[in-house]
Amino acid sequence: MQPAAPTTPPRGTRPSNRRDITVQAAVELFARNGYAQVGMSDIAAATNVGASALYRHFSSKTELLVAAVRSGLGPWGDAIGEPGGSNAAEHLELMLHRLSITGIDHRRVGVLWQREVRNLPADDQHELRDELRSAAGRVADAVRAARPELDDAEADTLAWCALGALVSIGFHNLELPRPEFDDLLFDIMLRIVSTELPDAVRSSASAEQIASDSLPRRDQLITVATQLFADRGFAATGIDDIGDAAGIAGPSVYNHFASKQAILAAAIDRAERILNGELETVLSSASTSEHKIGELVGSYVRRANTDRFVLRTLLSELGELAPADRQLARQAQRRYIDSWVDLLQKFGSEDPVTARIRVQAVLLLVNDAVQTPHLRSQAGFEETLVVVAENVLGAAGSV
């Protein structure tokens, strides 16, 4: 069972677990609304205290975000570090099962890691990344011990993909009864680390976006703005930043777009049109549903690796759109995922919720992997992602 969240105490009381209550409230608010949109006063209101009371525990919102991220990384580390099993394969399975339970208990923390850590000062980012790398390294060691035929880079890739699937559940609200949910997430991660990797692969690490200076000015602005939004976040990116990156004066941006929000809407619309165009190509083929899923996986992996900044923006910045644009974008996302789920159900036997959780895990683990430079630089990166994703979905190979 998921541990109960700390109960918000009545105003005027001083519970001994005030710090934990504050951290859990911050996790929920940062994940739901975004770090830039949440103030200390919002967190105070959610915990029935005055804003000044929060500063007895946290000197700043930055310190609170660090604590919020660590509230999930700590239990992950504990789950990874617990001993178990009489042999390497059994130890790996027990580790993944503990991680699945812990991941569901702390499902929103992955959103903070993926989307909000970039708001922290560089030193805090590096420290948290070191903690995550340490956790991933211990998972990779367990994979390597259970599968000695893998080299260190292969085990590392599988470990990071498993963690990417683990955090995917923070980006949706799909639910299953416990322990059915635990078992599904365990199965997804076990399929990832058990994937038989291709023997001979070509290097695919060089896939990059088209050079922005070769594009028409409007498209150039979308391209450079998207990279800035992905790296810094929408709120931290100004019109002057976009103009500088495009080699023009900031005010000149308004010759092409009415606002920064209009650039974001255009970027998300372009990403959706590209993805849906590739989806239609796959759906119109004469292949079986199983092979169509394989083709769709390959298409998505290549697109994600080529346009990783666009997809990261699509994932993390929808909340910055105007309400009408946000609603349209979310409807488009749902329709896109619906197509994957429909195909998966045509050759599988899982219910719609389970199939959707699998699809979401695949999309998020791919998006996470293409944002991770040391993985992207490995030979055969795209091919590895394809076979991992196909294994999670139980689809026929397309590499």
Side-chain angles (χ1 to χ4, degrees), residues 91-111:
H91 172 69
L92 176 61
E93 290 193 14
L94 287 171
M95 174 191 291
L96 295 179
H97 194 265
R98 289 193 299 263
L99 274 172
S100 69
I101 295 170
T102 303
I104 295 171
D105 287 346
H106 300 274
R107 67 188 293 178
R108 298 304 179 200
V109 174
V111 178

Side-chain angles (χ1 to χ4, degrees), residues 256-274:
H256 304 274
F257 294 96
S259 65
K260 185 175 66 166
Q261 200 173 52
I263 302 176
L264 176 62
I268 289 175
D269 177 69
R270 187 171 74 177
E272 290 170 344
R273 284 188 286 105
I274 291 171

Side-chain angles (χ1 to χ4, degrees), residues 240-296:
D240 287 341
D241 298 321
I242 296 169
D244 288 344
I248 63 175
S252 298
V253 173
Y254 293 112
N255 294 330
H256 304 274
F257 294 96
S259 65
K260 185 175 66 166
Q261 200 173 52
I263 302 176
L264 176 62
I268 289 175
D269 177 69
R270 187 171 74 177
E272 290 170 344
R273 284 188 286 105
I274 291 171
L275 288 175
N276 284 313
E278 295 177 346
L279 172 66
E280 290 303 317
T281 298
V282 171
L283 294 179
S284 63
S285 73
S287 303
T288 64
S289 296
E290 185 176 4
H291 278 85
K292 284 180 180 178
I293 276 282
E295 293 167 4
L296 196 53

Side-chain angles (χ1 to χ4, degrees), residues 80-345:
I80 293 168
E82 289 181 20
S86 58
N87 57 54
E90 186 176 331
H91 172 69
L92 176 61
E93 290 193 14
L94 287 171
M95 174 191 291
L96 295 179
H97 194 265
R98 289 193 299 263
L99 274 172
S100 69
I101 295 170
T102 303
I104 295 171
D105 287 346
H106 300 274
R107 67 188 293 178
R108 298 304 179 200
V109 174
V111 178
L112 304 187
W113 170 256
Q114 295 273 16
R115 194 182 68 196
E116 306 301 343
V117 164
R118 64 190 177 184
N119 292 293
L120 293 172
D123 288 347
D124 289 318
Q125 290 189 43
H126 292 154
E127 190 172 336
L128 289 172
R129 286 196 175 106
D130 285 344
E131 292 180 29
L132 183 60
R133 288 190 191 101
S134 176
R138 283 182 287 161
V139 176
D141 289 342
V143 173
R144 184 84 164 84
R147 298 188 59 190
E149 77 277 10
L150 299 177
D151 61 30
D152 289 344
E154 291 169 333
D156 183 60
T157 298
L158 295 180
W160 280 93
C161 286
L163 293 178
L166 180 68
V167 304
S168 69
I169 59 172
F171 288 86
H172 59 73
N173 294 314
L174 298 168
E175 292 281 0
L176 289 171
R178 306 289 290 271
E180 184 181 345
F181 202 173
D182 304 332
D183 293 341
L184 173 60
L185 192 54
F186 166 71
D187 177 73
I188 289 171
M189 291 195 293
L190 185 61
R191 287 184 184 221
I192 290 169
V193 301
S194 303
T195 300
E196 295 297 326
L197 300 181
D199 292 329
V201 294
R202 66 185 183 278
S203 175
S204 56
S206 61
E208 297 289 345
Q209 290 179 302
I210 298 171
S212 61
D213 57 5
S214 67
L215 298 171
R217 179 66 74 186
R218 179 182 170 85
D219 288 336
Q220 182 186 6
L221 288 168
I222 293 173
T223 298
V224 299
T226 300
Q227 182 168 352
L228 290 171
F229 295 155
D231 288 342
R232 305 179 186 180
F234 179 85
T237 302
I239 286 291
D240 287 341
D241 298 321
I242 296 169
D244 288 344
I248 63 175
S252 298
V253 173
Y254 293 112
N255 294 330
H256 304 274
F257 294 96
S259 65
K260 185 175 66 166
Q261 200 173 52
I263 302 176
L264 176 62
I268 289 175
D269 177 69
R270 187 171 74 177
E272 290 170 344
R273 284 188 286 105
I274 291 171
L275 288 175
N276 284 313
E278 295 177 346
L279 172 66
E280 290 303 317
T281 298
V282 171
L283 294 179
S284 63
S285 73
S287 303
T288 64
S289 296
E290 185 176 4
H291 278 85
K292 284 180 180 178
I293 276 282
E295 293 167 4
L296 196 53
V297 165
S299 172
Y300 187 81
V301 166
R302 289 187 293 273
R303 178 57 55 191
N305 196 30
T306 302
D307 292 335
R308 58 186 176 276
F309 299 119
V310 177
L311 292 186
R312 184 173 178 183
T313 299
L314 184 62
L315 177 69
S316 63
E317 303 296 346
L318 283 188
E320 301 291 351
L321 291 173
D325 290 334
R326 183 165 63 247
Q327 182 178 7
L328 289 174
R330 285 181 173 155
Q331 289 172 347
Q333 280 190 344
R334 283 194 291 270
R335 287 194 298 269
Y336 181 75
I337 293 172
D338 284 346
S339 297
W340 285 66
V341 173
D342 289 345
L343 283 176
L344 186 55
Q345 287 198 278

